[in-house]
C-alpha cells in the first residue's frame, strides 16, 4: 500500500514537472527573453546659460523635479548688466536731448534763412527799379542842363550888349543852377542806392554762410543719430543678456542631474542641469545574435524592471540596429589576424513603451524583457 502511494506521488511529481517543463519550453519558444535591458531616452540634454557668465544666485529645481517648457529653473546675478543698461539709457537720453536742441536750432536757422532770402531778393529788385528810375530822371535833367547852359550863354551875351534886362539873365542863370542841384541830388540818391545794393549783396553772402552753418548742424545731427543707433543696439544686446541670466527649460521633463550649486561662478555654455524630456523613455535591449530569429519590428514586448518587480510595462519593437554594439565600442575588436575568441554578438533593439506608469522610469534602470516571436 505504501509502495503504491509512493509511486503515485512520484507520478504526480513527474506530471507536474512535465507540465511546468512543457510550459517553460513553450514560453521559450514563443518569447525571446533577455536581461540585458536598460531604460534609455532620446532626449537627455545638458542645459546652461547662453552668452552670459556670472554667479548663480538661484537654483529653483533639484534632481528628480518635474519641469515645464520655458519654466525658469536657475538664475545668475544680473546686477552688472542692469547697471550697464542704466548707463546706456542715460547716455541715449542725453544724446536725444542734444539732437532735439540741434534740430530746433536748425529749424530756426532755416526759417530765418528763407526769410532773409525773400527780403534780400525783394530789396535788390526795389533798388534796381529805383536806380533805373533815377537814371532816367538824371538823363532828363542833363538834357535840360544842356539847354539851360546854352540859354545862359546867349542871355549873358545879350546882357553884355544891353539887349535884355539883367533880371531876365538872372532868371535863366537861376534855372541852370537849380537843374545842376537836381542832378547832384539824383547822383547822390543813386550813390546811396548802390551802397544799399552792396549791403544787399552782403546779405546774400550771409544767407550762404547760414546755409553752410545749417549743413554743419545737419552733419552734427547725423553723427548723433549714428551714436544713438549704435547705443540702441548695445541696449538691445544688454536686454537680451539680462533675459539670458534666467535659465529656461527647453521642454517638459525631469531634472536628471544638477551640476552646480548656488554661489558658483559659471561660464557661458557650462552645463547647469541635465533634463530628460517627458515621455521620451524607451527600452534598449542588447539582444544576443542567437536570439534574433523571430524578432521583428512591431512585435509586442513585456518589460519588468528590477526597481519595480511587481509592475509590468508593455511595449513593441520599434527598431533593430544594423550593426552590433561591439562595432561602436571605444576599442573595437581587431580580428584581422584571424585570432579571436568567438562570442555571441549583441544587437541593440529599441522598444517603445506603450503601457505603464512612465513617471516611474529613470534612465539607466535595468530589468528583463520578453519579446514575442513572429
Amino acid at each position: 500500500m505504501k509502495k503504491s502511494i509512493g509511486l503515485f506521488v512520484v507520478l504526480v511529481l513527474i506530471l507536474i514537472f512535465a507540465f511546468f517543463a512543457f510550459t517553460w519550453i513553450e514560453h521559450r519558444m514563443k518569447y525571446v527573453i533577455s536581461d540585458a535591458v536598460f531604460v534609455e531616452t532620446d532626449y537627455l540634454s545638458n542645459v546652461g546659460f547662453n552668452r552670459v557668465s556670472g554667479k548663480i544666485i538661484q537654483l529653483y529645481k533639484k534632481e528628480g523635479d518635474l519641469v515645464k517648457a520655458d519654466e525658469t529653473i536657475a538664475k545668475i546675478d544680473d546686477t552688472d548688466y542692469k547697471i550697464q543698461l542704466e548707463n546706456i539709457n542715460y547716455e541715449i537720453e542725453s544724446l536725444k536731448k542734444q539732437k532735439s536742441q540741434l534740430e530746433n536750432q536748425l529749424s530756426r536757422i532755416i526759417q530765418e534763412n528763407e526769410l532773409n532770402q525773400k527780403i534780400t531778393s525783394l530789396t535788390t529788385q526795389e533798388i534796381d527799379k529805383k536806380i533805373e528810375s533815377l537814371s532816367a530822371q538824371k538823363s532828363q535833367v542833363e538834357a535840360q542842363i544842356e539847354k539851360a547852359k546854352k540859354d545862359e550863354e546867349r542871355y549873358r551875351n545879350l546882357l553884355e550888349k544891353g539887349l535884355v534886362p539883367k533880371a531876365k539873365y538872372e532868371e535863366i542863370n537861376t534855372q541852370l543852377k537849380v537843374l545842376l542841384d537836381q542832378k547832384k541830388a539824383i547822383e547822390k540818391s543813386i550813390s546811396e542806392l548802390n551802397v544799399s545794393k552792396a549791403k544787399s549783396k552782403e546779405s546774400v553772402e550771409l544767407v550762404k554762410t547760414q546755409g553752410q552753418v545749417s549743413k554743419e548742424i545737419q552733419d552734427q545731427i547725423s553723427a548723433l543719430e549714428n551714436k544713438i543707433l549704435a547705443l540702441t543696439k548695445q541696449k538691445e544686446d544688454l536686454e537680451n543678456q539680462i533675459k539670458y541670466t534666467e535659465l529656461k527649460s527647453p521642454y517638459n521633463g525631469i531634472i536628471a542631474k544638477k551640476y552646480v550649486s548656488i554661489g558658483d561662478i559659471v561660464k557661458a555654455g557650462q552645463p547647469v542641469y541635465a533634463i530628460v524630456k517627458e515621455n521620451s523613455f524607451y527600452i534598449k535591449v542588447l539582444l544576443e545574435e542567437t536570439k534574433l530569429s523571430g524578432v521583428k519590428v512591431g512585435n509586442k514586448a513585456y518589460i519588468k524592471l528590477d526597481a519595480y518587480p511587481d509592475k509590468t510595462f508593455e511595449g513593441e519593437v520599434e527598431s533593430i540596429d544594423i550593426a552590433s554594439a561591439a562595432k561602436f565600442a571605444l576599442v573595437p575588436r581587431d580580428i584581422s589576424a584571424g585570432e579571436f575568441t568567438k562570442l555571441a554578438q549583441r544587437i541593440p533593439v529599441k522598444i517603445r513603451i506603450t503601457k505603464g506608469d512612465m513617471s516611474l522610469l529613470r534612465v539607466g534602470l535595468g530589468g528583463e524583457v520578453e519579446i514575442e516571436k513572429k
Side-chain angles (χ1 to χ4, degrees):
M1 182 69 178
K2 289 182 178 180
K3 186 175 180 180
S4 297
I5 293 173
L7 288 173
F8 177 75
V9 170
V10 170
L11 181 60
V12 170
L13 290 174
I14 291 172
L15 289 174
I16 292 173
F17 176 78
F19 173 77
F20 281 106
F22 175 79
T23 302
W24 183 84
I25 292 171
E26 184 183 33
H27 185 77
R28 290 284 175 166
M29 291 178 66
K30 289 183 178 181
Y31 293 90
V32 172
I33 300 172
S34 176
D35 59 1
V37 172
F38 307 94
V39 177
E40 294 287 352
T41 177
D42 286 322
Y43 295 93
L44 175 60
S45 302
N46 286 327
V47 295
F49 296 96
N50 294 324
R51 303 185 184 181
V52 293
S53 304
K55 180 181 178 181
I56 292 183
I57 57 174
Q58 289 290 342
L59 290 170
Y60 298 103
K61 299 294 180 178
K62 61 182 182 296
E63 293 172 358
D65 284 352
L66 297 175
V67 293
K68 297 293 184 181
D70 207 37
E71 179 182 2
T72 300
I73 55 179
K75 182 172 178 58
I76 62 175
D77 190 358
D78 59 1
T79 303
D80 291 342
Y81 297 109
K82 287 184 175 179
I83 291 173
Q84 293 179 47
L85 183 61
E86 288 179 3
N87 291 336
I88 285 180
N89 281 330
Y90 176 80
E91 191 172 356
I92 288 174
E93 289 304 314
S94 177
L95 291 175
K96 283 182 177 180
K97 288 180 180 178
Q98 294 180 40
K99 178 174 173 282
S100 179
Q101 292 173 353
L102 287 173
E103 286 173 341
N104 291 335
Q105 182 182 354
L106 178 62
S107 177
R108 187 171 61 254
I109 289 176
I110 289 174
Q111 291 176 358
E112 291 176 355
N113 203 19
E114 290 176 349
L115 181 60
N116 288 335
Q117 282 179 330
K118 290 179 180 178
I119 292 173
T120 301
S121 175
L122 291 173
T123 302
T124 302
Q125 291 175 6
E126 290 173 356
I127 290 172
D128 287 338
K129 286 181 180 180
K130 287 182 179 181
I131 291 174
E132 184 180 354
S133 175
L134 288 172
S135 296
Q137 292 179 28
K138 179 182 175 183
S139 297
Q140 292 176 358
V141 171
E142 286 176 341
Q144 291 175 0
I145 288 172
E146 289 298 322
K147 181 178 181 299
K149 283 182 177 180
K150 290 178 180 180
D151 289 343
E152 188 273 337
E153 184 179 358
R154 182 164 56 84
Y155 274 91
R156 183 165 28 88
N157 290 331
L158 291 173
L159 179 63
E160 290 175 352
K161 294 177 180 181
L163 298 177
V164 293
K166 186 177 181 180
K168 185 65 175 178
Y169 168 76
E170 288 179 350
E171 181 184 348
I172 296 299
N173 190 42
T174 299
Q175 289 180 357
L176 176 61
K177 289 179 179 179
V178 170
L179 290 172
L180 289 172
D181 289 341
Q182 287 182 1
K183 179 182 176 183
K184 287 181 180 179
I186 291 171
E187 288 177 341
K188 183 179 179 182
S189 296
I190 291 174
S191 178
E192 289 175 351
L193 288 172
N194 283 326
V195 171
S196 298
K197 188 175 181 180
K199 289 182 179 179
S200 180
K201 289 181 179 180
E202 290 178 358
S203 298
V204 172
E205 294 300 321
L206 177 60
V207 168
K208 291 180 180 179
T209 302
Q210 288 178 328
Q212 182 63 34
V213 172
S214 298
K215 184 179 182 304
E216 291 174 357
I217 293 175
Q218 185 60 60
D219 291 342
Q220 293 178 28
I221 292 173
S222 297
L224 287 174
E225 286 175 344
N226 291 334
K227 287 183 180 179
I228 291 171
L229 180 61
L231 286 173
T232 302
K233 289 181 178 178
Q234 291 183 31
K235 176 184 174 181
E236 291 173 355
D237 289 341
L238 275 172
E239 288 173 340
N240 287 331
Q241 286 178 323
I242 290 173
K243 290 179 182 178
Y244 294 142
T245 60
E246 292 188 351
L247 180 60
K248 308 279 189 179
S249 174
Y251 41 65
N252 294 345
I254 302 171
I255 300 295
K257 181 70 177 177
K258 179 172 73 71
Y259 295 107
V260 297
S261 301
I262 293 177
D264 288 353
I265 304 297
V266 295
K267 296 180 180 179
Q270 179 180 338
V272 174
Y273 286 111
I275 303 178
V276 177
K277 187 176 182 180
E278 182 181 58
N279 299 327
S280 67
F281 295 103
Y282 69 90
I283 302 299
K284 182 178 182 180
V285 183
L286 297 178
L287 194 62
E288 297 96 321
E289 58 184 321
T290 55
K291 296 181 178 180
L292 275 176
S293 179
V295 177
K296 296 179 181 179
V297 173
N299 286 16
K300 287 187 177 181
Y302 302 91
I303 307 102
K304 280 188 172 292
L305 299 176
D306 296 338
Y308 311 105
D310 57 336
K311 296 184 180 296
T312 300
F313 293 85
E314 296 182 13
E316 63 180 39
V317 176
E318 186 172 87
S319 66
I320 302 170
D321 282 10
I322 198 69
S324 70
K327 188 65 179 177
F328 301 104
L330 293 177
V331 184
R333 298 172 66 198
D334 183 6
I335 60 174
S336 58
E339 297 177 0
F340 62 94
T341 301
K342 184 172 178 59
L343 298 173
Q345 296 298 302
R346 291 183 178 269
I347 305 298
V349 175
K350 181 178 180 181
I351 297 175
R352 179 170 55 86
I353 299 172
T354 57
K355 188 176 180 180
D357 188 353
M358 301 287 281
S359 65
L360 298 176
L361 299 180
R362 297 293 183 271
V363 177
L365 293 181
E368 184 178 83
V369 66
E370 296 181 351
I371 304 173
E372 286 186 353
K373 292 182 179 180
K374 283 188 180 180

